[in-house]
Amino acid sequence: YTFIKKYFTSHISNIDGFYIDVKFKNWEKIRYYREMALLRGSITEEMKLGVPGRILYNNQYFRVELSLTGLMIDHISHPNKWSLAVKVKDDKTIKGMKKFALLVPHSRGYLTDWIATELLMSRDIIGLRFDFANVSINGKDYGLYYLEERYEKRLIENNGFREGIIFKINDDGLNIYGMKKISEVKSLSNQLNTLRRLVNSFLTDKIEANKLFDLKKFASLCVVSDIMGQKHAILRDKVRFYFNPITNLIEPIGREWGYLKKGVLSKLRKSNDNITSLTIQSPDQRVMHDTKLKKDKVLKKLIDSFQFEEQDR
């Protein structure tokens, strides 16, 4: 019955307040993009155009750029409360972050991502900074939001790692974060050249998975996803990667585990032909991902490697 005490304690806990001011015409732009997204059924990049605003936090005003964020409609399904991306201007940071998102809490399963991130960081795996904040926009109280860090060098530094390349692996190549800075810093440019050479060698079977990936950390990500009952975070379009310049190995940055409750059904199963089916069910909808590792040249090679199976055990 410890939850009884914690329930009452939660009502007197101090939660940071974010007071956002946006001109009417600029907020109407965000509203228009949100309506476009609802009609389309997803939030595309052209609907994430930023508008200027400011945030009052800790008795200090910060100039910011605001935009919609997320991909799925659950980020904007509420009539008034939508997930927002924040970029702080003027070489300033809020809570040590230059870029972060204020997300509707259910998009991160309320506490699911918090728990998963804590577990990963206990295993020396990079974790996004997170918190909860009470958000007010133009004087109207929108209640509790989940604050989540975005991908840039401060994320790496906060985790105690040396600055390196953060990227996604797309079907058509690498999607690099902060490309402008990388092109201006020789050490980062050299890292990127090394990364591209190693990835190409891996995809052409010239080197094995353990020569490119930190398999112990990837196995930990899979185990934590099993604990959470969610495989969403290990899909290649969801996980982000960090190229560690000390080890010359790729490490995972996980997020988006979703709901931790009986209403979620998630099963990752291997059949004899190594085809994987992924089923996710949320209280609102059932989404079926038919992911064939046989066609995912990166994940299949990694998961099917003998070295990965040793770590996974």
Side-chain angles (χ1 to χ4, degrees), residues 58-75:
N58 202 20
N59 295 319
Q60 183 179 355
Y61 280 103
F62 298 86
R63 290 199 316 124
V64 298
E65 180 180 281
L66 302 166
S67 64
L68 294 178
T69 191
L71 176 63
M72 306 304 292
I73 294 300
D74 62 340
H75 283 280

Side-chain angles (χ1 to χ4, degrees), residues 171-210:
D171 291 334
D172 57 353
L174 304 182
N175 181 4
I176 310 295
Y177 286 84
M179 192 63 199
K180 181 180 178 181
K181 180 182 179 181
I182 292 172
S183 63
E184 297 172 348
V185 179
K186 186 175 181 180
S187 61
L188 293 176
S189 297
N190 291 338
Q191 286 182 39
L192 181 55
N193 291 334
T194 300
L195 172 63
R196 283 174 168 159
R197 175 176 55 80
L198 289 172
V199 170
N200 182 66
S201 296
F202 172 71
L203 295 177
T204 54
D205 296 321
K206 294 179 181 177
I207 61 172
E208 296 183 350
N210 63 328

Side-chain angles (χ1 to χ4, degrees), residues 48-53 63-67 85-89:
K48 298 178 181 180
L49 297 179
V51 301
R63 290 199 316 124
V64 298
E65 180 180 281
L66 302 166
S67 64
V86 180
K87 181 178 180 181
V88 186
K89 300 289 190 178

